[in-house]
Amino acid sequence: MANFKELLVWQRSIDFVTEIYRTTEAFPKDEIYGLTSQIRRAAVSIPSNIAEGNSRRSKPDYVQFLKISRGSCAEVETQLIISKNLKFLNENEHLKLNEKIIEVSKMLNGLINSLQ
């Protein structure tokens, strides 16, 4: 198994987290403990679980952690829709971030399938 830092899906998810942090800086300040915190934690969970699963050095454990990462992708996707509906994100911001989270999710699916 490759080191997690060499995995393209981990690298893309790190870039995504960085973009989420930058984007959510513009969210209303009264959301700092609400949606802002929730979307950031869910996004951080994606590369974190990839790294933890990879470090377990057990294929079943690794796959389970990748599935948790995939679940976090769905969580972020949901929170992006809520953010757009509340006008915290404009349509272009939403589309850009949504495309990236879908790409990461598809990459996770591919990695999970290759390990099973």
Side-chain angles (χ1 to χ4, degrees):
M1 285 188 268
N3 181 291
F4 66 89
K5 290 182 248 177
E6 297 171 8
L7 294 169
L8 187 58
V9 66
W10 181 85
Q11 294 167 9
R12 292 269 170 87
S13 62
I14 287 289
D15 292 343
F16 179 77
V17 171
T18 305
E19 194 161 349
I20 283 291
Y21 266 78
R22 288 187 180 129
T23 302
T24 56
E25 284 176 358
F27 280 23
K29 295 303 168 210
D30 62 346
E31 281 296 325
I32 193 70
Y33 300 110
L35 191 55
T36 302
S37 175
Q38 188 70 22
I39 198 169
R40 286 177 173 183
R41 284 185 288 122
V44 166
S45 170
I46 299 165
S48 298
N49 278 296
I50 294 168
E52 185 172 354
N54 179 271
S55 298
R56 294 287 174 111
R57 298 293 179 200
S58 154
K59 197 181 286 188
D61 285 348
Y62 191 16
V63 169
Q64 182 58 33
F65 277 90
L66 293 173
K67 288 179 178 179
I68 293 167
S69 287
R70 187 176 59 191
S72 294
C73 287
E75 194 176 342
V76 169
E77 198 172 346
T78 299
Q79 294 158 354
L80 289 173
I81 292 167
I82 294 166
S83 298
K84 181 187 71 145
N85 289 350
L86 292 171
K87 308 279 190 253
F88 298 166
L89 294 175
N90 64 41
E91 189 67 32
N92 287 336
E93 290 170 321
H94 175 259
L95 285 173
K96 182 178 170 189
L97 290 168
N98 198 58
E99 285 174 8
K100 290 183 179 190
I101 197 62
I102 289 171
E103 176 189 24
V104 169
S105 187
K106 286 179 180 177
M107 293 172 81
L108 284 167
N109 281 336
L111 184 53
I112 290 165
N113 289 337
S114 75
L115 291 169
Q116 289 182 325

